[in-house]
Amino acid sequence: MQRRSVGTSGLTVGRAGLGTMTWGRDTRFEDARALLRAFVAAGGDLVDSAPAYSRGEAERMIGKLLRTEIHRDDVVLATKAGFTFRDGVRVVDTSRRVLLDDLHESLRRLGTDHIDVWQVHAWGQAPLEETLAALDHAVSTGVVRYAGVSNFVGWQTAAASTWQSAFPGRARLVSNQVEYSLLARRAEVEVLPALRHFEMGFFPWSPMGRGVLTGKYRGGVPRDSRAATTHFGWYVEPYLEARSRAVVEAVAKAADGLGVSPLQVAWLWVRDAPGVTAPLLGARTAAQFTPYLEAESMSLPPEIAAALDDVSGGPNEARTT
């Protein structure tokens, strides 16, 4: 798998990441084991998780696999902090206390002495300087190698990056991850320009439009799909409307002309979009993951990428500059 630098930091990762949001809930341990083994065998290394994923079960599964299946040095472990549960409700808390408590528990569940990329999961109500001081502490003590953010919009990314660069010794922010796909291109407006300015990497989540861009919903909602579940139906439903269907049909038409699958067309569009470092794939089984690995040597013709830009929201200015 080809590798890319995470912004202008010294960190490099394979250009596809493995997301674990469904681990411990929809992805069983045996499937997770097959997924991780196939991913690493193909040259992938970026594994992204969070304490909020299945309330820590995703991290526990990764930790077990690192003890039994995969060497720790073969992966770039990314996790997050700042989503917590209170009285059964998930809330954002980016205070120093909660962030460092999350980090301690992540290290324990993962069975490791360090996190490669530690990210603030979302913008919170705590003072920004307090939130970022937790990142500084984690990096300076050696339990975190690189610091990043997640779900920060453009001005939030700029505020946090500017604060960190204002004084020597603060941990530089190397990455951000927000949703980005043919069905969700808002990142192009402010987030991606901010990342370019601050020379940060970009890990898009849900690069397949929450599964809709695979084409599986063209004929309805399959029984075994996320949209058919009570816990993920709300997550997929916004992309089952008419505009999204039109984009999916355009992807399918391009796939027919290229002799590949709609899944591969949508994947290649986001993987090679300007500013993207490594999209995070949330496949639930190794079989679902195989078509992405098979697309490693593929690329979209520029005219097809531009046509998909047009049908999904308009030209990508970064592609033409």
Side-chain angles (χ1 to χ4, degrees):
M1 183 180 297
Q2 292 187 28
R3 303 187 64 75
R4 289 174 175 167
S5 296
V6 182
T8 55
S9 74
L11 179 65
T12 64
V13 296
R15 61 179 178 173
L18 181 61
T20 62
M21 186 177 71
T22 64
W23 288 27
R25 194 168 199 174
D26 294 335
T27 301
R28 301 171 301 171
F29 181 78
E30 290 303 315
D31 289 325
R33 176 166 61 184
L35 259 173
L36 186 59
R37 292 180 68 176
F39 178 63
V40 172
D45 55 0
L46 177 63
V47 179
D48 181 78
S49 195
Y53 295 169
S54 302
R55 301 197 181 195
E57 186 58 28
E59 289 184 330
R60 278 188 285 270
M61 289 170 67
I62 294 170
K64 184 175 180 180
L65 290 168
L66 291 178
R67 292 192 300 272
T68 61
E69 301 290 332
I70 303 296
H71 196 277
R72 171 66 179 88
D73 292 342
D74 289 337
V75 297
V76 175
L77 274 183
T79 194
K80 310 177 190 73
F83 269 149
T84 188
F85 287 89
R86 292 177 184 157
D87 300 322
V89 178
R90 191 169 67 176
V91 298
V92 177
D93 187 337
T94 55
S95 66
R96 178 187 177 101
R97 178 183 65 83
V98 167
L99 292 179
L100 294 178
D101 283 350
D102 276 357
L103 175 59
H104 174 77
E105 291 302 308
S106 289
L107 291 166
R108 180 183 60 81
R109 286 188 291 263
L110 291 164
T112 184
D113 63 357
H114 71 280
I115 303 298
D116 295 300
V117 185
W118 191 46
Q119 305 150 104
V120 181
H121 205 150
W123 184 270
Q125 297 303 311
L128 179 61
E129 57 268 32
E130 176 181 337
T131 298
L132 297 175
L135 299 181
D136 294 337
H137 174 77
V139 172
S140 66
T141 56
V143 294
V144 165
R145 300 294 191 254
Y146 295 91
V149 294
S150 176
N151 298 309
F152 276 34
V153 298
W155 72 264
Q156 294 166 347
T157 303
S161 296
T162 299
W163 179 268
Q164 290 304 89
S165 63
F167 191 82
R170 291 176 179 163
R172 177 175 173 245
L173 299 180
V174 304
S175 64
N176 187 8
Q177 59 170 273
V178 302
E179 183 174 13
Y180 185 55
S181 73
L182 277 164
L183 299 183
R185 293 179 56 192
R186 290 182 298 276
E188 293 173 15
V189 179
E190 290 186 349
V191 174
L192 277 162
L195 297 180
R196 284 194 295 272
H197 179 80
F198 290 99
E199 300 180 317
M200 296 168 61
F202 180 36
F203 305 136
W205 59 261
S206 199
M208 301 307 295
R210 309 187 185 189
V212 175
L213 288 165
T214 64
K216 70 170 66 176
Y217 298 103
R218 292 176 72 193
V221 177
R223 281 185 164 185
D224 62 346
S225 68
R226 289 180 183 174
T229 66
T230 56
H231 54 279
F232 271 130
W234 64 270
Y235 180 71
V236 180
E237 191 273 336
Y239 292 158
L240 298 180
E241 37 68 67
R243 175 194 167 276
S244 296
R245 288 198 298 271
V247 175
V248 172
E249 291 307 312
V251 169
K253 184 176 181 180
D256 287 342
L258 295 171
V260 299
S261 69
L263 173 155
Q264 290 170 326
V265 168
W267 166 246
L268 293 171
W269 181 91
V270 70
R271 187 197 69 188
D272 297 332
V276 169
T277 306
L280 303 171
L281 284 165
R284 288 176 289 166
T285 67
Q288 289 181 348
F289 204 70
T290 299
Y292 301 104
L293 299 179
E294 292 175 343
E296 171 61 21
S297 61
M298 302 177 188
S299 60
L300 286 182
E303 59 272 20
I304 297 296
L308 292 173
D309 289 348
D310 290 341
V311 77
S312 64
N316 182 339
E317 293 184 6
R319 198 189 299 279
T320 59
T321 58

